[in-house]
Amino acid sequence: MRLNKIVSIFLLLPILSIAQQSSTEKNILPRIVSISTDTTNGNYKEVKFLYDKLNRVIAILHTNCSIKKPAIDKPKVDTTKTQFFEYTGNNAKPFLCKMVTYEFNKKANKRVWKINKLQYFIYENGEKVRDSVFYRKNENGRRKYDYFEQTFEPFETNEAEDNPIRNIKFDEEKYDSSINPLNQLNIAAALDIEYIYFPIKESALISLNKDFHNWGIEFMWYFSTKNNLLIYTVRRGDKYSPPIYDNVHLKYTYNQHKLPVYCVALTKKIDNGSTYLGGFLKYFTFRYSK
């Protein structure tokens, strides 16, 4: 009888193993593949994530895409920013991020590199403690300057270099209770102060008030937060003019994993006296690996 029980246990082991494996696979979240805007006047923006065989992020590509009539199989892609990540061995955390931003040169009639950035991540006991950053800037076809900076605190990049709107400030943030797909990535801890950024011109927005025309809107999603942004406010302007506030409200549709798949973004522009100036809509789609 005892032998029969032992044999029965061994016969059950493969079944238990398969069940456990199936359960584990169900708990693995699909990886984010892209975030894209809706198409306006045949144009849209997209951020793509590329992975290696170990499911580590090896590249993030920021592009402007154009679909002209008649429709073609593949859209025309204009790369505005690239980020490439490098690793040592099978380590899950990157030791280097190579970033290049691009701008359109009217004289050359083509897009040329604007800023090169090498960011080395330094870890202690598996935690990021600082980064070393090397910058190189190109201006009018000439290398303007090189400089190196090492910090012992998280290094804040100069967003004004990539941001057409100067002197912006983000505050009044609120989050949902669902999963932020960027926070699930292996690079999230290294990019603790960074975010995926969509600068949208007013011409690419759905205007709810035709009588207002001033600036575009910045949409963003952080790597460091476990949940997704629902509300945030951007303060604009300089010391010579009264500020204008972009109050951004994000509403998501989620999949079965509690990951966002669709986002409706409503932005209310408000002046310093709390007067409503106008409203705009923008739509975003999140795609994942199967």
Side-chain angles (χ1 to χ4, degrees):
M1 180 67 67
R2 184 177 180 182
L3 181 60
N4 290 337
K5 287 183 178 180
I6 294 174
V7 172
S8 299
I9 291 173
F10 274 97
L11 289 174
L12 284 172
L13 282 177
I15 299 175
L16 292 173
S17 176
I18 293 171
Q20 183 178 1
Q21 183 179 0
S22 176
S23 176
T24 301
E25 289 176 351
K26 289 181 180 179
N27 292 330
I28 297 177
L29 293 173
R31 301 184 305 278
I32 183 111
V33 172
S34 67
I35 305 175
S36 58
T37 70
D38 56 342
T39 302
T40 306
N41 299 322
N43 301 304
Y44 65 94
K45 291 178 180 286
E46 185 173 53
V47 174
K48 287 187 177 181
F49 301 84
L50 306 181
Y51 301 87
D52 62 11
K53 294 180 180 180
L54 298 178
N55 297 330
R56 302 177 299 189
V57 178
I58 55 174
I60 303 177
L61 308 179
H62 303 247
T63 59
N64 293 329
C65 304
S66 178
I67 302 176
K68 301 298 181 181
K69 294 182 180 180
I72 57 177
D73 293 335
K74 293 184 179 181
K76 181 181 178 182
V77 176
D78 178 22
T79 302
T80 60
K81 178 179 176 181
T82 61
Q83 291 173 275
F84 295 96
F85 298 88
E86 295 186 9
Y87 303 85
T88 56
N90 293 332
N91 290 340
K93 295 182 179 180
F95 78 90
L96 173 64
C97 175
K98 297 179 179 179
M99 186 192 81
V100 183
T101 60
Y102 303 88
E103 66 177 356
F104 187 78
N105 186 300
K106 293 183 179 180
K107 291 184 178 180
N109 195 31
K110 64 179 181 179
R111 190 168 288 276
V112 298
W113 72 271
K114 181 180 180 181
I115 297 175
N116 282 346
K117 171 185 171 183
L118 295 179
Q119 184 174 13
Y120 293 88
F121 305 108
I122 295 92
Y123 304 92
E124 288 183 6
N125 299 321
E127 298 294 329
K128 175 187 168 184
V129 292
R130 63 184 184 274
D131 31 17
S132 297
V133 184
F134 176 80
Y135 278 96
R136 176 173 293 170
K137 185 176 180 180
N138 179 21
E139 190 169 284
N140 298 324
R142 296 183 178 180
R143 192 174 71 192
K144 186 177 180 181
Y145 58 77
D146 297 342
Y147 71 89
F148 176 84
E149 184 165 351
Q150 181 169 310
T151 63
F152 291 86
E153 298 293 337
F155 185 85
E156 296 188 10
T157 59
N158 183 5
E159 293 297 336
E161 296 293 355
D162 301 324
N163 195 336
I165 305 300
R166 300 296 192 269
N167 192 27
I168 64 174
K169 179 182 179 181
F170 304 97
D171 52 24
E172 193 185 327
E173 296 176 350
K174 182 179 178 181
Y175 298 85
D176 65 9
S177 57
S178 296
I179 299 171
N180 174 11
L182 302 179
N183 188 248
Q184 305 301 308
L185 301 177
N186 64 288
I187 58 174
L191 304 182
D192 53 339
I193 63 170
E194 298 189 34
Y195 45 80
I196 293 298
Y197 170 66
F198 285 90
I200 308 294
K201 295 181 180 179
E202 187 176 322
S203 59
L205 299 166
I206 300 173
S207 177
L208 303 179
N209 303 80
K210 296 181 180 180
D211 57 341
F212 182 80
H213 300 279
N214 196 1
W215 291 325
I217 298 171
E218 286 76 37
F219 299 97
M220 74 212 63
W221 286 270
Y222 293 103
F223 286 90
S224 60
T225 62
K226 293 183 179 180
N227 308 115
N228 305 287
L229 268 173
L230 287 176
I231 298 175
Y232 63 91
T233 299
V234 179
R235 176 181 176 179
R236 305 169 170 279
D238 52 43
K239 61 182 179 180
Y240 303 106
S241 61
I244 291 178
Y245 299 87
D246 288 350
N247 187 234
V248 183
H249 293 251
L250 306 172
K251 185 177 181 180
Y252 301 95
T253 300
Y254 304 93
N255 61 17
Q256 68 273 26
H257 303 286
K258 295 185 178 181
L259 293 165
V261 293
Y262 190 69
C263 176
V264 180
L266 168 63
T267 301
K268 300 177 182 178
K269 287 187 176 289
I270 302 169
D271 70 7
N272 197 36
S274 300
T275 302
Y276 175 75
L277 301 175
F280 298 89
L281 285 174
K282 194 65 180 174
Y283 303 95
F284 296 87
T285 300
F286 297 71
R287 295 181 176 86
Y288 300 88
S289 60
K290 295 180 180 180

